[in-house]
């Protein structure tokens, strides 16, 4: 079945990204893996390539292309090479939608040129110790000063991808107590400068996978946030978060599908080269059947991911559809990658093989952005259950 989601411009971009990965990432990726993060300078290289500005208006230094398809190409190409672009994914997929939706003209003039150039890397801080998926239970507070010039931010966040290198972090905090009718009331969003006094980065977290992305704990002790850095209106943060979750969940879904596709490629190459009992592993019927079943699942996930991408670009991707895509694609990736690792035998357990890293990287897809259980709840509610 011919795929129609990408055109010639996307394929030309694919060639550029593939060459960039081969030249700038693959030769040093083992060093990033050992260090537990990509170097900060790497993000300037991505910026020079134009990656950060694709969906940013031209007046701020971007390309002004309102499409997620170029990001989709990057998901496929990084998975194909068995690498990650560090924590830079949250900069574009999570940070940019909030700036575009909520920032005033004055804020856009301040934020977007540096966003595009990589001078300011952005992250999103929602999760807190002890709250997990219950965002309405957050305890971080931002209280307006008596003179009305700034907010005073206090609290802590955890599992913040891009948190070590971030220059600006969109912090979710309580500016008012939850109401009896609505626990979600009272949350606001702030574009916090990480150089602010009282802002600190705690532990760089040691994760099972995604080793090259810097994930950290953040702490705020009487951090002064200028009122000019409030994003959107006070107390409407939960609505804003819900509005942008669809694009985040699409990104996880598409990334998971791309990982599953890459796993089949890695396994196919391995079983064709590996000899057991005097013949290639690929010659055994079980190998053929396993890879054929994996390919069928990847084909289905590709169709779901592409459909969600088209809906996202058209502004029509609903929360339930995004949840469905995330649930399906991440569960498919889980099954496919596990089976492809099995075909590698003992070597599949070695980090020098991309399938092992992919296995670890993939596991979080069913957790972050909303667990699979949360996705099922959203889908069930949409079904009227």
């Amino acid at each position: 079945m011919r795929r129609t989601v990408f055109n010639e411009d996307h394929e030309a971009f694919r060639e550029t990204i593939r060459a960039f990965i081969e030249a700038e990432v693959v030769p040093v990726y083992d060093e990033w893996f050992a260090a537990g993060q990509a170097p900060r300078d790497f993000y300037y290289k991505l910026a020079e390539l134009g990656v950060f500005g694709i969906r940013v208006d031209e007046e701020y230094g971007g390309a002004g292309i309102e499409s997620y398809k170029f990001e989709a190409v990057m998901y496929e190409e990084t998975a194909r090479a068995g690498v990650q672009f560090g924590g830079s994914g949250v900069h574009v997929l999570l940070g940019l939608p909030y700036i575009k939706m909520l920032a005033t003209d004055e804020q856009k003039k301040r934020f977007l040129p540096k966003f595009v150039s990589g001078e300011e890397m952005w992250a999103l801080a929602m999760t807190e110790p002890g709250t997990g998926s219950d965002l309405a239970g957050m305890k971080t507070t931002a209280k307006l000063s008596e003179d009305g010039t700034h907010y005073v931010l206090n609290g802590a966040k955890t599992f913040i991808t891009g948190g070590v290198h971030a220059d600006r972090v969109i912090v979710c905090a309580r500016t008012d107590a939850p109401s009896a009718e609505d626990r979600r009331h009272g949350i606001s969003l702030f574009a916090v400068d990480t150089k602010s006094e009282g802002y600190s980065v705690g532990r760089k977290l040691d994760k099972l996978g995604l080793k090259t992305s810097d994930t950290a704990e953040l702490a705020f002790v009487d951090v002064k946030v200028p009122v000019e850095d409030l994003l959107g209106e006070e107390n409407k943060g939960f609505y804003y978060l819900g509005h942008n979750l669809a694009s985040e969940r699409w990104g996880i879904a598409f990334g998971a599908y791309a990982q599953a596709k890459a796993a089949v490629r890695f396994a196919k190459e391995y079983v064709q080269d590996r000899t057991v009992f005097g013949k290639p592993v690929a010659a055994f019927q079980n190998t053929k059947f396993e890879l054929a079943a994996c390919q069928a699942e990847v084909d289905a996930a590709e169709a779901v991911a592409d459909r969600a991408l088209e809906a996202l670009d058209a502004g029509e991707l609903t929360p339930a559809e995004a949840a469905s895509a995330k649930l399906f694609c991440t569960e498919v990736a889980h099954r496919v990658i596990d089976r492809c690792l099995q075909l590698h035998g003992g070597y599949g357990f070695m980090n020098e093989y991309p399938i092992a890293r992919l296995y670890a990287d993939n596991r979080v897809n069913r957790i972050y952005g909303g667990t699979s259980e949360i996705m099922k709840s959203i889908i069930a509610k949409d079904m009227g259950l």
Side-chain angles (χ1 to χ4, degrees):
M1 186 180 298
R2 187 173 68 89
R3 198 176 184 195
T4 59
V5 70
F6 298 124
N7 61 29
E8 293 179 357
D9 290 339
H10 303 124
E11 295 306 329
F13 180 70
R14 185 187 302 279
E15 292 180 10
T16 299
I17 287 293
R18 188 173 295 184
F20 175 81
I21 290 172
E22 289 299 319
E24 300 289 346
V25 182
V26 172
V28 293
Y29 196 70
D30 286 345
E31 297 174 19
W32 296 5
F33 190 85
Q37 63 185 32
R40 178 63 175 82
D41 288 349
F42 172 68
Y43 299 146
Y44 288 111
K45 293 181 180 180
L46 286 176
E48 290 173 6
L49 200 62
V51 165
F52 297 154
I54 292 172
R55 289 191 289 111
V56 175
D57 291 342
E58 292 181 34
E59 64 181 298
Y60 304 115
I65 301 173
E66 196 54 52
S67 173
Y68 285 81
K69 291 184 179 180
F70 293 94
E71 288 167 54
V73 169
M74 286 190 285
Y75 280 123
E76 291 186 333
E77 290 306 307
T78 51
R80 179 184 181 277
V83 301
Q84 298 276 339
F85 279 172
S88 65
V90 300
H91 179 67
V92 175
L93 186 66
L94 300 188
L96 185 57
Y98 290 97
I99 302 173
K100 294 181 68 173
M101 179 175 73
L102 303 176
T104 63
D105 289 341
E106 182 276 330
Q107 287 175 325
K108 288 178 180 178
K109 289 176 183 177
R110 278 197 292 132
F111 296 151
L112 286 175
K114 293 180 180 180
F115 181 99
V116 172
S117 69
E119 184 179 343
E120 283 191 350
M121 295 299 295
W122 287 61
L124 176 63
M126 292 190 288
T127 305
E128 296 183 0
T131 61
S133 297
D134 182 19
L135 293 178
M138 68 177 63
K139 294 180 172 59
T140 296
T141 60
K143 297 182 178 180
L144 189 63
S145 62
E146 291 185 4
D147 62 7
T149 61
H150 62 273
Y151 292 85
V152 181
L153 182 66
N154 283 283
K157 300 289 181 179
T158 193
F159 305 147
I160 309 307
T161 302
V164 175
H165 285 319
D167 303 288
R168 286 265 177 186
V169 176
I170 300 172
V171 177
C172 312
R174 283 210 163 275
T175 44
D176 195 8
S179 67
E181 298 79 19
D182 189 0
R183 293 177 64 239
R184 299 169 295 182
H185 169 77
I187 294 172
S188 302
L189 307 184
F190 300 90
V192 179
D193 186 339
T194 63
K195 297 185 294 297
S196 302
E197 184 177 353
Y199 180 104
S200 63
V201 177
R203 291 186 303 148
K204 180 166 73 69
L205 300 174
D206 184 14
K207 308 182 298 298
L208 170 67
L210 300 179
K211 289 290 189 179
T212 64
S213 71
D214 51 308
T215 304
E217 296 173 331
L218 307 179
F220 322 111
V221 179
D222 294 334
V223 177
K224 292 182 179 180
V225 183
V227 292
E228 292 82 8
D229 289 345
L230 172 71
L231 285 175
E233 296 181 40
E234 257 194 15
N235 302 325
K236 292 191 176 181
F238 199 96
Y239 164 77
Y240 300 143
L241 294 172
H243 184 274
N244 284 328
L245 277 174
S247 61
E248 177 183 355
R249 287 168 179 164
W250 163 80
I252 297 169
F254 204 95
Y257 138 70
Q259 289 175 325
K261 182 177 182 179
V264 172
R265 174 174 173 264
F266 295 146
K268 179 182 175 183
E269 291 175 352
Y270 179 82
V271 299
Q272 288 175 327
D273 291 338
R274 174 74 168 162
T275 300
V276 177
F277 302 122
K279 58 182 180 180
V281 175
F284 293 91
Q285 186 182 63
N286 179 69
T287 303
K288 296 176 182 179
F289 281 8
E290 283 292 286
L291 281 177
C294 287
Q295 183 61 54
E297 290 218 74
V298 168
D299 287 345
E302 180 180 86
V304 169
D306 284 357
R307 185 181 70 174
L309 173 56
E310 294 284 20
L312 181 64
D313 266 12
E316 299 172 353
L317 185 64
T318 68
E321 289 169 344
S324 179
K326 180 182 184 297
L327 177 65
F328 183 79
C329 291
T330 58
E331 293 292 342
V332 164
H334 160 66
R335 293 191 296 269
V336 167
I337 294 170
D338 183 74
R339 293 165 85 173
C340 288
L341 186 149
Q342 188 73 14
L343 288 172
H344 281 71
Y347 289 105
F349 205 64
M350 302 295 111
N351 274 327
E352 64 187 277
Y353 283 79
I355 193 67
R357 298 181 182 184
L358 194 58
Y359 184 87
D361 289 348
N362 173 261
R363 186 57 186 86
V364 75
N365 288 334
R366 291 181 288 149
I367 298 174
Y368 68 1
T371 64
S372 291
E373 292 72 26
I374 295 292
M375 298 304 101
K376 291 174 184 177
S377 295
I378 293 170
I379 297 165
K381 183 177 180 180
D382 186 68
M383 294 170 65
L385 299 173

